[in-house]
Amino acid sequence: QVVLVESGGGLVQAGGSLTLSCTASGGTIADYRVGWFREAPGKEREFIAAINRSGGRTYERDSKPGRFTVSRDNAKNTVYLHLNNIQSEDSAIFYCAAATTFAAVTSPYNFATWGQGTQVTVSS
C-alpha cells in the first residue's frame, strides 16, 4: 500500500507563489493518477488539479487560468502542485490522493489513498 506525504505548506503572502510536494513511499507513484484537493474550515473538500500516470495529461480547477499547475517527477516518486497568485481562498489544508481507476478525477470519492495534508495559510 502506497503512503503519500505532502510537504511545502506554510505562511505565504497573497499574490505570492508556493509549490507543494506529494512524495510516495511503499510503492511507485508512477502506478497512480494523482489528484490535489483543498479543504478550508467549514467547507467541503474540493478538487484543485490532477495528473495522469505519465504526466502527459493534466486537469486543473476551472478557475483563473494558470493559478494551479500540477506536474510530476516519477523518478523522484513525487507529484507537485504549483500555486500562483495565491488568494485568501487558498488558506486551507491541501491533500494529495492516488487512484488506480479511470473514474472522474474531480471527485474525491474516486481516490483510495490520501496523504495527511499540508496547511497553507495566506496573509494579506
Side-chain angles (χ1 to χ4, degrees):
Q1 179 76 13
V2 68
V3 174
L4 304 177
V5 177
E6 301 93 336
S7 61
L11 182 64
V12 60
Q13 281 196 325
S17 299
L18 195 66
T19 296
L20 307 181
S21 300
C22 172
T23 301
S25 62
T28 302
I29 206 167
D31 292 339
Y32 301 90
R33 307 165 87 198
V34 175
W36 284 94
F37 296 79
R38 72 182 178 198
E39 186 172 326
K43 295 188 177 181
E44 293 186 351
R45 192 167 297 189
E46 58 183 1
F47 170 78
I48 297 298
I51 189 166
N52 71 346
R53 290 182 295 179
S54 69
R57 182 76 166 91
T58 62
Y59 314 79
E60 285 84 22
R61 181 176 177 82
D62 187 18
S63 61
K64 298 176 183 178
R67 280 260 287 127
F68 307 110
T69 304
V70 59
S71 63
R72 68 191 301 157
D73 186 340
N74 287 338
K76 294 184 178 179
N77 237 13
T78 301
V79 173
Y80 305 97
L81 178 67
H82 312 278
L83 288 72
N84 303 303
N85 188 22
I86 289 175
Q87 307 293 306
S88 58
E89 66 204 48
D90 296 323
S91 282
I93 299 175
F94 281 74
Y95 298 91
C96 67
T100 57
T101 68
F102 289 94
V105 297
T106 57
S107 171
Y109 297 103
N110 293 330
F111 290 84
T113 303
W114 291 80
Q116 84 290 347
T118 185
Q119 176 74 51
V120 173
T121 302
V122 181
S123 64
S124 57

